[in-house]
Amino acid sequence: MTNISFVREKPLPQLPPPITESTTIGWIRKNLFSGWLSTLLTIFSVYFLYICLKDFIPWAYGGNWSAGSIRECLDTNPDVACFSVIGARWRQLLFGFYPYEEYWRPILTFILLFVSVTPILSRRFAKYFWISLIYPGLAVWLLWGGSVWPVFSIYLAFVFSGLGFYIARNQFKLSTGLSLMIAVISLIVFYLFLASPFVSLFKYILPINLVVIESMQFGGFLLSMIIGFSGIAASFPIGILLALGRQSDLPLVKMICVGFIEFIRGVPLITLLFVASVLLNYFLPPGTSFDIIVRVIIMVTIFSAAYMAEVIRGGLAALPVGQHEASAALGLSYWQSQRLIIMPQALKISIPGIVNTFIGLFKDTTLVSIISLMDPVGLASMIRAHRNWNGIYWELYVAVGLMFFVCCFGMSQYSQYLERKLKTDNS
Amino acid sequence: MSDVITERAIDRSKMEISDEVAIHISDMNKWFGNFHVLRDINLEVRRGERIVVCGPSGSGKSTLIRCINRLEEHQQGKIIVDGTELSSDLKNIDKIRSEVGMCFQHFNLFPHLTILENCTLAPIWVRKMARKDAEETAMHYLEKVKIPEQADKFPGQLSGGQQQRVAIARSLCMKPQIMLFDEPTSSLDPEMIKEVLDTMIELAEEGMTMVCVTHEMGFARQVANRVIFMDEGQIVEENEPAEFFDNPKSDRTKLFLSQILGH
């Protein structure tokens, strides 16, 4: 019989890793040419890339940027891209029919957009959240113009109602529900009786005006950005509320949320856009007329809110029930535990789905061309109808596609960064 | 399963049981759908008592202690915790929950918050404590469970035993009157069970009122002043630990003990 007793006397030294783990050549050998199948796949993939790019790169790289019409392009060299159309019409593709001398307004709005999303996207600047709250009103005023006071009065109405809530809560010690009711009443009272005198007074005392731009003058990428970002900003909170409502114990709330989600998800977006452009005015009381862009934003918002709700519900369902129990056992109220425990985790789980919905929404904004709003796709058709550019296909759509790709890719990159940053375990 | 859980002698100087009632349960019944999980439960826990609830799985022991802070709703009977009756009144429920700490089998730490944030969350939001004070309290209790150096880590980076000790510290930060333990060591490796039990013993030594659902019979024998055996939703036997283990009365208890202590 052999002796199975063994005692290690000294620990083994650490050795450097094998060549396949450390050098570039090792990496290539291990990952690209590790066997005949992988070698074959590598060669095939390289060949595939070659086929895809061998015509596209010379076509795009040698593109003609200076011709005045497609005729000129074809006369010079019919085998390269005719990017001249973009040179001639880029302003339209970006701004639609927005007046040239007012271009600073959408550009400023665009720059301010980045300022306003920083507090939302980065924890370091979270204390500047008020900028994000001011931004929507400011953007509306900058883009559509007119007097600043009607927009300002909306904010004032909210301040007024917040004040009502605060006084009811802290001076008269009313319950939260009652205080909320007072807040709503003060909002309505302000709007019915105080808003219009206030606006006319300040229009008279301190007229701050910008040239009014009609909604039909909006177009191009500007329009996509307006609809896309308003839709994203509004559908996110609505989606969260719908997801919570769908999980609610209150049967009526649950029924309304389920009904809404299932109905909206079951209807194509185009139908909703047609409703927005044609039908909505029939249902509204006579005399009220909503701006077409606002109507479209509402429809896009409710459409993606329904999807958002389902994505977030997935995140909620993935949370172990223990998280609810632990937060309840510590004495946190329903809303506290949703805000502090449940939602941060559920949203983190659903980041890929949420961004997916955002990207989908952003690209769906091109559907508004069907109801004759001039988004980039609508404009592309219009430009192609012009005598100078009749017959141009690829160049315009490549350009439009590129604009959308940059935005969507940016969103996707941010979401991946966020996922990495929010990772809190070792795996 | 060993009977000895700690080598040192347990300090019983502060383990006083007062006459004051901490938890009063009378004629309590509960159903899950048609299934009658808890039948006619009558139980009185006085301040300073350390009660171990044991029994086979499915006997309703977890459900019983989850009724005490209303993670489960009872349908009949009365539960009075710290003088407040549990009813559908949300105010009472919130009040009781902030007075009663609970530790779970799967710890249920909040994975997106650091250890320190886990401990300060409830004091800040429920007790409205200032952040600085809450952090001081949290560090105090983290030191007590012997993991202050982990304060800035996330739960996912800790071992199971450490996580459960954090969970205990998190409950203690609310300065609870009563602690409930729902199988706190059942999902731990043997090496880690001891560190959690040590923490629980220290808690008992300070006179905390404790109700523990556990299979650690060594803990029951040495720390508990009363052992309750449940089967099929009923309290079958209830006795002092020495009497309970050495001289069980009912056949069901004898069978259970022979199975759990037999190997």
Side-chain angles (χ1 to χ4, degrees):
Chain A
M1 212 176 110
T2 51
N3 186 7
I4 58 166
S5 156
F6 168 76
V7 178
R8 188 178 298 288
E9 312 262 272
K10 56 183 178 201
L12 296 174
Q14 283 215 11
L15 298 174
I19 183 168
T20 47
E21 296 299 319
S22 49
T23 64
T24 319
I25 295 176
W27 184 90
I28 289 174
R29 232 170 54 198
K30 187 180 166 199
N31 292 293
L32 299 179
F33 300 101
S34 64
W36 65 268
L37 185 65
S38 98
T39 308
L40 206 68
L41 281 174
T42 303
I43 291 170
F44 182 75
S45 313
V46 170
Y47 180 66
F48 178 75
L49 281 178
Y50 167 73
I51 294 187
C52 288
L53 297 177
K54 82 171 159 61
D55 291 327
F56 178 77
I57 287 181
W59 176 81
Y61 187 72
N64 185 343
W65 288 87
S66 53
S69 72
I70 188 165
R71 200 62 268 146
E72 270 180 53
C73 269
L74 292 176
D75 289 345
T76 331
N77 182 356
D79 291 331
V80 296
C82 182
F83 287 126
S84 319
V85 62
I86 294 156
R89 299 294 191 108
W90 65 271
R91 279 187 197 151
Q92 247 176 21
L93 282 174
L94 287 182
F95 297 102
F97 304 101
Y98 213 88
Y100 177 63
E101 56 279 10
E102 305 291 336
Y103 273 7
W104 64 272
R105 282 156 53 178
I107 292 170
L108 181 63
T109 314
F110 185 67
I111 293 168
L112 286 179
L113 173 70
F114 289 100
V115 178
S116 81
V117 293
T118 318
I120 299 172
L121 299 186
S122 155
R123 191 178 265 190
R124 241 189 37 230
F125 299 98
K127 55 177 177 282
Y128 300 110
F129 186 64
W130 55 272
I131 297 178
S132 318
L133 291 178
I134 290 176
Y135 179 74
L138 187 65
V140 165
W141 179 60
L142 276 176
L143 290 171
W144 273 271
S147 168
V148 73
W149 299 114
V151 176
F152 191 77
S153 79
I154 294 175
Y155 280 94
L156 213 61
F158 280 107
V159 170
F160 193 72
S161 101
L163 213 64
F165 180 81
Y166 183 81
I167 290 172
R169 190 76 207 271
N170 291 352
Q171 299 299 123
F172 295 98
K173 305 281 174 213
L174 297 176
S175 72
T176 313
L178 219 57
S179 312
L180 269 179
M181 228 146 78
I182 287 175
V184 173
I185 290 170
S186 44
L187 188 73
I188 295 169
V189 165
F190 182 89
Y191 231 83
L192 287 184
F193 303 110
L194 297 175
S196 59
F198 164 81
V199 169
S200 22
L201 179 70
F202 272 85
K203 266 183 183 168
Y204 180 71
I205 306 176
L206 197 65
I208 304 180
N209 290 314
L210 285 173
V211 181
V212 175
I213 314 287
E214 294 297 327
S215 281
M216 286 321 276
Q217 289 175 279
F218 284 69
F221 208 55
L222 169 66
L223 187 63
S224 300
M225 292 289 268
I226 292 173
I227 298 174
F229 276 87
S230 323
I232 286 172
S235 68
F236 188 53
I238 297 175
I240 291 178
L241 289 179
L242 281 173
L244 287 179
R246 190 167 189 163
Q247 304 235 310
S248 168
D249 294 332
L250 310 169
L252 212 63
V253 171
K254 185 177 176 148
M255 222 170 66
I256 291 172
C257 290
V258 172
F260 179 86
I261 291 170
E262 294 302 335
F263 173 73
I264 298 293
R265 281 205 308 168
V267 175
L269 179 57
I270 300 244
T271 323
L272 291 177
L273 290 178
F274 274 122
V275 169
S277 85
V278 192
L279 284 174
L280 209 57
N281 275 353
Y282 288 114
F283 294 121
L284 292 171
T288 50
S289 102
F290 261 135
D291 187 272
I292 177 72
I293 294 182
V294 175
R295 278 183 272 160
V296 166
I297 287 174
I298 291 173
M299 285 306 176
V300 169
T301 300
I302 62 172
F303 185 75
S304 58
Y307 280 88
M308 190 64 66
E310 288 299 281
V311 169
I312 293 170
R313 188 167 71 98
L316 285 172
L319 272 198
V321 69
Q323 293 291 313
H324 294 266
E325 288 177 350
S327 53
L330 284 171
L332 293 171
S333 71
Y334 174 80
W335 288 109
Q336 281 175 338
S337 98
Q338 292 301 337
R339 190 160 57 89
L340 301 166
I341 308 298
I342 307 303
M343 271 306 152
Q345 295 183 61
L347 293 180
K348 182 184 140 191
I349 296 171
S350 24
I351 286 173
I354 291 171
V355 175
N356 211 11
T357 313
F358 281 169
I359 289 176
L361 181 155
F362 189 58
K363 291 188 301 180
D364 280 351
T365 57
T366 51
L367 286 174
V368 299
S369 58
I370 304 241
I371 55 169
S372 64
L373 282 178
M374 283 299 159
D375 82 304
V377 173
L379 274 170
S381 318
M382 196 202 71
I383 293 169
R384 282 174 43 218
H386 192 271
R387 149 170 73 82
N388 277 355
W389 304 107
N390 197 344
I392 209 152
Y393 285 100
W394 289 92
E395 294 80 353
L396 270 176
Y397 289 119
V398 164
V400 171
L402 201 64
M403 289 196 281
F404 276 96
F405 177 78
V406 167
C407 286
C408 296
F409 189 67
M411 284 193 251
S412 145
Q413 287 298 304
Y414 175 74
S415 90
Q416 280 169 32
Y417 156 77
L418 205 58
E419 276 177 65
R420 278 196 304 275
K421 203 183 81 168
L422 294 179
K423 208 167 193 176
T424 54
D425 49 5
N426 279 333
S427 58
Chain B
M1 197 171 290
S2 102
D3 254 20
V4 181
I5 52 158
T6 173
E7 297 78 23
R8 66 187 176 87
I10 290 173
D11 171 17
R12 294 180 187 277
S13 60
K14 284 189 215 150
M15 288 190 181
E16 291 169 358
I17 297 168
S18 76
D19 288 337
E20 205 184 325
V21 176
I23 305 169
H24 172 92
I25 301 176
S26 57
D27 304 324
M28 194 259 277
N29 279 285
K30 171 166 181 59
W31 288 263
F32 281 137
N34 285 326
F35 179 58
H36 199 168
V37 266
L38 292 177
R39 309 180 197 183
D40 267 331
I41 303 288
N42 283 289
L43 178 68
E44 199 158 82
V45 181
R46 280 167 295 151
R47 207 165 284 295
E49 274 203 284
R50 301 156 311 274
I51 292 182
V52 162
V53 184
C54 61
S57 68
S59 58
K61 50 195 190 314
S62 281
T63 314
L64 171 62
I65 72 163
R66 287 156 60 86
C67 280
I68 296 173
N69 64 352
R70 212 177 170 90
L71 289 183
E72 303 283 356
E73 196 177 325
H74 62 284
Q75 280 100 17
Q76 266 178 22
K78 218 182 220 180
I79 302 180
I80 300 172
V81 181
D82 247 354
T84 315
E85 187 179 347
L86 271 176
S87 58
S88 46
D89 187 343
L90 286 175
K91 271 213 178 100
N92 285 353
I93 296 175
D94 284 346
K95 179 160 175 282
I96 287 170
R97 281 176 177 169
S98 62
E99 300 295 328
V100 178
M102 186 165 197
C103 287
F104 300 86
Q105 182 180 351
H106 298 292
F107 333 130
N108 297 350
L109 293 179
F110 305 130
H112 62 301
L113 301 176
T114 63
I115 300 306
L116 189 66
E117 287 166 339
N118 264 279
C119 294
T120 55
L121 185 92
I124 289 174
W125 291 95
V126 180
R127 292 254 190 272
K128 312 285 177 207
M129 217 187 251
R131 176 171 296 274
K132 207 170 137 276
D133 299 344
E135 279 174 1
E136 257 166 42
T137 318
M139 285 315 290
H140 170 75
Y141 284 110
L142 285 175
E143 260 155 48
K144 199 162 203 159
V145 301
K146 302 191 184 68
I147 30 177
E149 71 282 359
Q150 313 282 6
D152 294 323
K153 289 195 183 166
F154 286 97
Q157 298 165 323
L158 267 56
S159 75
Q162 290 175 322
Q163 290 194 39
Q164 191 61 293
R165 285 185 284 151
V166 171
I168 294 173
R170 177 176 72 176
S171 299
L172 292 179
C173 284
M174 289 292 281
K175 307 235 164 77
Q177 303 293 316
I178 302 164
M179 282 291 290
L180 307 174
F181 291 87
D182 189 358
E183 307 207 21
T185 55
S186 297
S187 57
L188 294 177
D189 292 340
E191 266 185 295
M192 295 168 181
I193 290 178
K194 190 176 165 298
E195 59 186 54
V196 171
L197 288 182
D198 277 345
T199 312
M200 290 169 65
I201 292 169
E202 271 169 40
L203 206 55
E205 284 174 335
E206 282 162 24
M208 175 66 78
T209 312
M210 295 164 73
V211 182
C212 315
V213 171
T214 180
H215 296 296
E216 296 298 325
M217 290 303 136
F219 176 80
R221 196 186 272 272
Q222 294 189 18
V223 180
N225 68 308
R226 194 151 45 121
V227 180
I228 290 173
F229 176 70
M230 286 184 72
D231 189 32
E232 296 184 335
Q234 310 160 66
I235 295 178
V236 176
E237 193 163 340
E238 195 176 335
N239 215 332
E240 289 180 351
E243 218 17 48
F244 178 85
F245 288 110
D246 301 336
N247 205 355
K249 301 285 183 301
S250 92
D251 294 341
R252 189 67 192 86
T253 317
K254 283 177 197 162
L255 180 68
F256 176 76
L257 287 178
S258 74
Q259 279 171 344
I260 201 165
L261 300 175
H263 49 90

